[in-house]
Amino acid sequence: MEKIKEKIAAFKLEAESWQDKYEELKEQFKQLEQENIEKENQIKSLTVKNEQLDSEIEKLEAELAESKQLAEDSNTLRLTNGNYTRKNEQLENDLEETDAKLKETLDKLRDADLKVEELERRLNAVEEEKEKMEEKNEQLAAQYAEAKQELDDIAASLENL
């Protein structure tokens, strides 16, 4: 009986040992469950963060594409502006050349106008002189005709004599 008591005591000790082990494992299980819940919460939190980051990446990619398009448009505008600037400079140079030619033409036109005025004055003077000469010619022709008539009269009276 004593052996049975010893065995019972041994079983009791073993049962207590198993009970302690059970309690210890139960506590570990609760801790692991708690850790599992915390890990799941972390996973959910990280999933939400990952979705936010994915959304942010999409937004940044869209902004990057827009920035690239703006840069390309800016470059195109810069090239167009450069072309317009060169064209404007060429037109300004052409305008300066045209202005110089216009001034030269106006100077020549003024000179020609002055020459025309001078020639008109000369022409008027020549016409006045021509009129005077025609008057003098008419006077001389009249005097000639008168002198011829007198001469004819004298010749006729001399013939009659």
Side-chain angles (χ1 to χ4, degrees):
M1 181 96 180
E2 186 128 339
K3 274 194 171 186
I4 292 181
K5 279 186 183 180
E6 281 178 18
K7 273 212 175 200
I8 288 178
F11 278 138
K12 274 188 185 179
L13 278 174
E14 195 175 328
E16 282 178 17
S17 167
W18 281 109
Q19 184 68 29
D20 288 342
K21 187 87 165 165
Y22 169 77
E23 291 295 325
E24 186 179 312
L25 287 174
K26 190 175 173 183
E27 188 61 34
Q28 280 181 350
F29 180 75
K30 283 182 183 179
Q31 285 178 351
L32 288 174
E33 267 187 340
Q34 185 62 33
E35 285 178 18
N36 189 28
I37 290 171
E38 289 174 5
K39 297 287 182 187
E40 284 177 3
N41 287 338
Q42 277 183 337
I43 288 173
K44 286 179 186 176
S45 173
L46 290 174
T47 301
V48 169
K49 252 189 185 177
N50 190 29
E51 289 171 357
Q52 289 173 344
L53 289 174
D54 283 344
S55 173
E56 186 70 22
I57 287 173
E58 287 176 10
K59 181 181 171 186
L60 290 174
E61 285 175 343
E63 287 177 7
L64 177 62
E66 185 179 340
S67 294
K68 284 182 179 179
Q69 184 63 41
L70 287 174
E72 186 177 314
D73 292 348
S74 174
N75 190 34
T76 301
L77 288 173
R78 192 176 306 119
L79 291 173
T80 302
N81 186 33
N83 290 338
Y84 284 142
T85 300
R86 284 190 293 281
K87 183 71 173 177
N88 189 31
E89 289 173 358
Q90 180 63 41
L91 288 173
E92 286 176 353
N93 289 339
D94 291 348
L95 179 62
E96 288 175 6
E97 289 176 14
T98 303
D99 279 346
K101 288 179 182 177
L102 178 62
K103 286 178 184 177
E104 183 179 328
T105 303
L106 288 174
D107 288 343
K108 287 180 181 178
L109 181 61
R110 277 189 218 108
D111 290 344
D113 282 343
L114 292 174
K115 287 179 182 178
V116 165
E117 287 176 9
E118 176 65 26
L119 290 174
E120 284 175 349
R121 281 193 298 272
R122 284 185 188 173
L123 179 62
N124 288 337
V126 167
E127 285 177 352
E128 286 177 14
E129 191 175 327
K130 176 186 160 204
E131 286 176 14
K132 286 178 185 177
M133 291 204 158
E134 283 177 351
E135 284 177 19
K136 193 170 188 174
N137 187 26
E138 286 175 11
Q139 288 173 355
L140 288 175
Q143 285 176 358
Y144 172 75
E146 197 177 298
K148 186 175 181 187
Q149 185 64 36
E150 279 181 29
L151 187 61
D152 286 342
D153 286 346
I154 292 175
S157 71
L158 283 176
E159 272 184 28
N160 286 336
L161 282 173

